[in-house]
Amino acid sequence: MLPVFRIRAAAAAVAALCLAGCANLGVQPWERDRLAKPSMQLSVSPLIDAIDDHIYFSKEAATGGRSFGGGGCGCN
């Protein structure tokens, strides 16, 4: 009887941990001002990132991974 109790207790603990992991979903409204600052952005200039992606995917002869597609000729 004791091992059954331990298995049920362990299952309950795992279920509680799984449910507690969903307690904080997303960013609160008062935290968004810090994330909107330019110093928190992943890149300094989205235009430079787009140009770098275009050159990379043109040289690799692959389709674009973000918002454009094309081949290796560089004419996309």
Side-chain angles (χ1 to χ4, degrees):
M1 191 66 141
L2 188 59
V4 174
F5 175 74
R6 286 186 180 180
I7 292 172
R8 287 184 182 172
V14 168
L17 287 175
C18 288
L19 291 175
C22 298
N24 186 8
L25 297 176
V27 178
Q28 299 298 325
W30 56 86
E31 296 173 328
R32 293 178 190 213
D33 63 339
R34 285 180 263 156
L35 296 175
K37 291 182 180 180
S39 60
M40 294 295 289
Q41 300 300 318
L42 292 176
S43 66
V44 179
S45 173
L47 182 62
I48 292 174
D49 289 341
I51 292 170
D52 287 342
D53 285 344
H54 177 76
I55 292 169
Y56 173 75
F57 289 118
S58 295
K59 287 182 179 181
E60 290 293 321
T63 59
R66 294 206 175 153
S67 62
F68 52 85
C73 65
C75 57
N76 29 341

